[in-house]
Amino acid sequence: MRTAVRIGVIAGACVVLAGWVTLTVWLRGTFWLVSLPVVGAVWLLVCLDCGYLLGRELAHRSRRRSSRQRRRAWEPDASVRRPIDYPYVLGRPTGEDPVDHQGRFRAKGIRLAALPALAVVFLTVQTVFLDDSRLGVGFVCAECLLLFWMVWTVWTEQDPSRPWVTSRVRAELFRREMFLLLTAVGPYLDRSGQETERIRDARLARLAAADLAELLSFGRLGDLAPDGSERDWRDDLWRRRDSADVTDPAALAEVMRTYLDHRIRRQALFLELAAEKCDSGESITGRIAKAAVLGAVGVAMVYGALLVAGRDGQGPSTAASAVALLAAGFPPLCNLALAVQNLLASQRLAVSYRETRRELLEREQALGFLLADAARPGAEAEFRALVLRTEATLGEENRRWRIIVAKPEFDAGL
């Protein structure tokens, strides 16, 4: 539905622009000539915003189709229980409709990165091509609109990544809570059925209502005592290392298989696909930046040759003016590509994803060996320790991701 709406918005904007151009050519009045570039600037912003989100949705569908075989290969055997099928385990509470916070954040950042380039192009068109003062005033007004919109966005969008960061951190903590509950570690270690339910309900309610600062505190692998000290869950496992296993070996093996398939292998697949997506984005923006630099050099040389070849006492030819527009547009295009590259931070994210996936593959191997000998004494304690090491690995990945993507404000350059 959102795809259809965005296509409709772009189509409607194109119809409005075409109608405005027709009226301007027909009436040739001062109002129409001055307002046409302004309407064109608004049209560019609308198409840029909706076009990015539309392209994002289409690219997501394409990646889903291309990765279908790998996702099918991951799917666990029907005999492996899902986490939600276990007693006491609850899914994430139903809330508001999901919002693509990542898409909104990046759409604003890309639009902001494009505004200086568009302003330069409008200024160059007004300077090089236009003889009609009324149309020239319109291009100046359009340029001022673009620059004002850029400054306004930077001033008003403080901490623009917070909704996205908060949403993902909350989702990851809900997922982590489900597996802590499933494996009976952390706050659920050695708890009875009623205690487990009480702690679960209190923690889920706290997660649902917490702001980002509280979520980050909640993400520690430990509990805070009333005096402010922290009780680490790994220390609790160490203190009970000599205790006998209390879980039936068959039930323990079942939980192990669930954790192996639905936590470790699934997360490893997600990280693999995410790293590939980052590599693709980094490659595209890098090629655009390099092409813009080479294009700028080539166009500048052609422009100089055209000026030298021009006759004395005459202004530059139409061809030279067109080349001048390209010469003015290529450097801002390079700056746009670099700004988008910095916004996406694809290279740094890919490194983080691959490092986390490598650690998860080590956990997968260790859990596979443990699963093959789940009936021996001490297997339950080793499994719980492995669960906490895995959750610590995933928590560290989330911390690195938050450092990379979080921005106190949008970057803008002229």
Side-chain angles (χ1 to χ4, degrees), residues 285-365:
T285 54
R287 285 199 299 266
I288 292 175
K290 293 173 184 176
V293 172
L294 295 176
V297 173
V299 168
M301 294 175 63
V302 172
Y303 182 58
L306 289 173
L307 290 180
V308 171
R311 288 174 294 178
D312 295 336
Q314 293 186 0
S317 64
T318 303
S321 299
V323 173
L325 177 61
L326 294 176
F330 270 119
L333 177 60
C334 178
N335 183 65
L336 167 62
L338 294 176
V340 172
Q341 197 173 56
N342 180 63
L343 176 74
L344 301 181
S346 299
Q347 189 175 33
R348 287 172 289 167
L349 287 174
V351 171
S352 176
Y353 291 154
R354 288 198 171 91
E355 176 63 20
T356 304
R357 183 175 180 273
R358 183 191 63 78
E359 294 183 28
L360 287 180
L361 293 179
E362 294 176 357
R363 304 286 187 271
E364 178 183 352
Q365 185 179 27

Side-chain angles (χ1 to χ4, degrees), residues 210-233:
D211 59 10
L212 181 58
E214 190 174 359
L215 288 173
L216 298 181
S217 175
F218 194 92
R220 298 189 181 96
L221 290 179
D223 296 319
L224 289 178
D227 61 356
S229 61
E230 184 175 355
R231 180 174 60 88
D232 195 289
W233 296 334

Side-chain angles (χ1 to χ4, degrees), residues 385-398:
L386 185 144
V387 168
L388 287 182
R389 290 199 301 272
T390 303
E391 298 304 325
T393 294
L394 295 174
E396 177 62 18
E397 184 278 323
N398 190 262

Side-chain angles (χ1 to χ4, degrees), residues 57-71:
E57 291 180 11
L58 297 178
H60 176 71
R61 294 179 185 179
S62 176
R63 287 192 300 270
R64 293 281 294 181
R65 287 193 297 268
S66 63
S67 64
R68 187 175 299 160
Q69 294 298 327
R70 279 187 287 176
R71 287 186 287 109

Side-chain angles (χ1 to χ4, degrees), residues 167-209:
S167 177
R168 192 201 162 182
V169 170
R170 194 191 311 277
E172 293 292 343
L173 289 177
F174 270 120
R175 190 176 295 112
R176 187 193 73 168
E177 200 67 22
M178 177 172 64
F179 287 102
L180 293 178
L181 188 57
L182 169 68
T183 55
V185 297
Y188 306 105
L189 181 66
D190 296 335
R191 301 291 185 176
S192 64
Q194 290 185 343
E195 284 182 306
T196 296
E197 290 185 357
R198 178 181 58 80
I199 295 172
R200 177 203 65 194
D201 294 342
R203 288 176 65 86
L204 291 181
R206 181 184 169 192
L207 266 178

